[in-house]
Amino acid sequence: MVTFDIAVVGNGVLGLSAALEVARRDTGLRIAVVGTPHRDRAATPAAGAMLNCFGEVTQYTTRHPAVAARFALARRALDAWPDWLARLADEAREAAGGSALRDSHTPGTFVILSARSGRITDENFEAMRSALVEHGEPHEVADPADIPGLAPCPDARPLRALYLQREGTVDARRVLAALEAAAATRGVQFLPATATALVADNGTVRGVRLDDGRTLQAAQVVLAAGSMSGELAATALPPGAVPPMLHGTGLAVLTHRDTPGGVTHAVRTPNRAATCGLHVLPSPGGHYIGATSVITPRAGAGPELGTAHEMLRAACDQIDQQLSAAQVTAWLCGSRPIPLDCFPLLGPSHSLDGLVFATGTYRDGFHCSPVIARYIADVLLDGSTPPDKDLSWFTPERPPVQTMTVPQALDEAVAHCMDAGYEHDLRIPALLGDTHLADGLRQRAEHLYERLPHPIALQPEIIISQLLLPARSPDETQPLTWLSDYLHAARKHHGCLDQAS
């Protein structure tokens, strides 16, 4: 039996940041971070680590208060990053090289509207521009021809571009090393193991069971295990209490180039059809290219070859043709933690005293980590609740947040599918038009919903992932069993699954 005051399950950016923030505030606490050094399939080591707030704005950002709350969280993080990074660099200087961490920060992001895009990309670009103006965020309308290193194919030249002055990129791997070093200097201990279950009795968490047979006893447990958090939560919480966690398996590539050139700042597209934006970022000696995302209910064996091919082709065609001559120095594979409703799970459990969630952040975990770490520290040390409504949307034990009606969700899923097709060279003879294809997609989506016991409005990428699941897992004869079982359990636990207002 190993005893600590606080056990943090997960050694990614959220787990390490939370452990460090708590250790900063109370030097007398015994804090343990559980996680293997190689961080297999974790999201942070594979991340490009863009500081993205306005770069993630879409047409949905202002349509529902939960989406607006996520944007507000990202804005607070954007304000926090300069001081957070400077302090982290100072704390880690002796152990991990603070100057290297400072040097890894490249401010500024160019967002381009590529000619290889569809209607949804256009709408998201315009929503981003409007948000920048509305909130007075420093930015510039850029001439695509003036973006350093941008060299797309002639038929993929950007139509428009914006420069976001306060965003940019930080080296995720250096940040992880600095967080570990800074936490170690404050007495945080690291257990190189994997948590297999939460230990609880009488409505209170007691610790964590490890894969080596030991039990780590702790009065408080922070669940920050990324896409594996759902499986761990299920070992102690009632069925249906927490939205299921899906796995967004992704691939990114680190490259080296022998000749000068390439982009000198983050260059990305807006979020596109059912996925994040294509992006190429400067990295030491070369560039980072990212990223794919395939959403599945269970962890897959690895990234898909087809999505990797499309990502690399798009980067060469739309951002820099010379990337085709770059040398691959590392293939980075990670799994984004994606709750069913695509919103984070943050804060204390209502069913189990002492259990605190810091997970389910989809694409926003790295960017939002300074603010999330401070909130988790508040909960652990003070038992405080959010001072406003923003974070209350993300309470872990909730029915799925629904930001639209079911018919709207179906319409959006079809629109995203069509845009994805056009981005990947779908060509339909003008004589036929695309109505029949859209109708076929709509029928398939409606058939999916007919098999659900309690239809809820899912996000477009979740609907699309379920439409594609049988093709990806032909041995899965009932691909919606997991979702049906969850919806039954959630309705029993929460009483209803009515659309959130």
Side-chain angles (χ1 to χ4, degrees):
M1 184 80 70
V2 185
T3 303
F4 289 89
D5 296 304
I6 298 172
V8 179
V9 182
N11 59 350
V13 69
L14 291 184
L16 291 174
S17 297
L20 174 60
E21 182 65 17
V22 173
R24 285 169 172 170
R25 299 189 194 183
D26 191 333
T27 58
L29 289 174
R30 295 165 297 169
I31 304 170
V33 174
V34 179
T36 58
H38 54 76
R39 296 184 175 90
D40 185 41
R41 303 299 295 277
T44 309
M50 288 187 289
L51 304 184
N52 270 330
C53 172
F54 289 88
E56 286 287 308
V57 166
T58 71
Q59 58 185 306
Y60 305 113
T61 299
T62 59
R63 295 187 184 180
H64 189 276
V67 191
R70 185 168 57 194
F71 172 66
L73 174 62
R75 284 193 72 198
R76 289 163 59 189
L78 184 63
D79 293 337
W81 259 102
D83 289 343
W84 176 267
L85 189 63
R87 184 177 183 184
L88 180 59
D90 288 340
E91 291 174 320
R93 181 179 294 116
E94 295 299 325
S99 60
L101 179 59
R102 292 179 190 272
D103 293 344
S104 78
H105 178 216
T106 304
T109 294
F110 287 99
V111 183
I112 60 172
L113 178 61
S114 171
R116 301 266 185 92
S117 59
R119 174 181 60 84
I120 289 169
T121 315
D122 293 347
E123 292 173 348
N124 289 345
F125 185 92
E126 183 55 32
M128 185 188 309
R129 188 202 63 78
S130 296
L132 290 164
V133 173
E134 177 185 350
H135 294 281
E137 177 66 18
H139 71 284
E140 302 170 19
V141 175
D143 184 339
D146 294 334
I147 297 177
L150 187 68
C153 293
D155 64 348
R157 287 176 293 179
L159 306 174
R160 302 168 65 188
L162 294 167
Y163 179 63
L164 313 186
Q165 297 173 13
R166 293 203 302 153
E167 304 198 3
T169 183
V170 178
D171 190 306
R173 290 145 292 280
R174 290 182 179 176
V175 169
L176 284 178
L179 286 168
E180 280 191 333
T185 62
R186 293 183 178 274
V188 174
Q189 296 188 41
F190 298 91
L191 302 183
T194 299
T196 59
L198 300 175
V199 178
D201 63 62
N202 296 321
T204 301
V205 73
R206 303 299 182 186
V208 180
R209 188 171 297 115
L210 305 179
D211 61 349
D212 59 10
R214 292 181 296 170
T215 297
L216 190 160
Q217 187 173 11
Q220 297 184 96
V221 173
V222 178
L223 190 52
S227 63
M228 301 307 297
S229 299
E231 295 180 19
L232 287 171
T235 64
L237 292 178
V242 177
M245 188 77 73
L246 307 180
H247 301 262
T249 302
L251 176 76
V253 179
L254 287 178
T255 67
H256 169 79
R257 58 197 305 158
D258 292 325
T259 58
V263 298
T264 57
H265 295 74
V267 176
R268 61 163 296 172
T269 67
N271 288 341
R272 310 208 284 189
T275 187
C276 60
L278 170 71
H279 47 278
V280 175
L281 319 174
S283 68
H287 292 88
Y288 171 103
I289 305 172
T292 68
S293 184
V294 173
I295 302 174
T296 54
R298 293 191 296 272
E304 291 187 349
L305 184 62
T307 58
H309 169 259
E310 291 296 340
M311 176 191 74
L312 295 174
R313 185 181 68 158
C316 294
D317 288 355
Q318 299 178 36
I319 296 180
D320 183 5
Q321 297 176 77
Q322 295 305 312
L323 284 170
S324 60
Q327 301 144 24
V328 175
T329 58
W331 301 92
L332 307 177
C333 175
S335 185
R336 297 181 178 93
I338 308 177
L340 180 66
D341 58 13
C342 298
F343 289 98
L345 306 177
L346 303 176
S349 164
H350 298 310
S351 300
L352 201 58
D353 289 343
L355 179 62
V356 180
F357 284 72
T359 187
T361 47
Y362 202 168
R363 296 189 298 266
D364 302 331
F366 187 92
H367 172 79
C368 292
S369 57
V371 175
I372 292 174
R374 290 165 181 163
Y375 170 56
I376 298 303
D378 289 343
V379 173
L380 292 170
L381 299 177
D382 307 323
S384 61
T385 55
D388 52 46
K389 295 190 301 182
D390 285 348
L391 294 179
S392 64
W393 280 103
F394 311 137
T395 183
E397 295 186 42
R398 64 175 188 251
V401 176
Q402 300 177 66
T403 62
M404 60 189 84
T405 65
V406 169
Q408 288 171 337
L410 291 170
D411 289 341
E412 291 297 319
V414 171
H416 279 257
C417 270
M418 295 297 295
D419 263 30
Y422 288 127
E423 288 174 10
H424 297 302
D425 294 337
L426 172 67
R427 298 181 184 275
I428 299 176
L431 182 64
L432 298 178
D434 59 13
T435 303
H436 295 300
L437 177 57
D439 289 346
L441 290 168
R442 174 79 185 215
Q443 289 173 9
R444 288 188 60 192
E446 289 175 343
H447 177 60
L448 182 151
Y449 265 84
E450 289 169 0
R451 294 149 60 197
L452 295 180
H454 310 288
I456 62 171
L458 300 169
Q459 295 297 317
E461 58 263 51
I462 304 299
I463 296 176
I464 293 171
S465 73
Q466 295 310 295
L467 291 177
L468 297 176
L469 186 60
R472 290 185 165 123
S473 305
D475 58 329
E476 188 84 54
T477 56
Q478 294 181 311
L480 289 179
T481 299
W482 69 272
L483 182 52
S484 297
D485 291 347
Y486 161 71
L487 292 174
H488 276 303
R491 185 167 187 178
K492 180 179 179 180
H493 183 82
H494 296 289
C496 68
L497 296 178
D498 293 339
Q499 180 172 326
S501 59

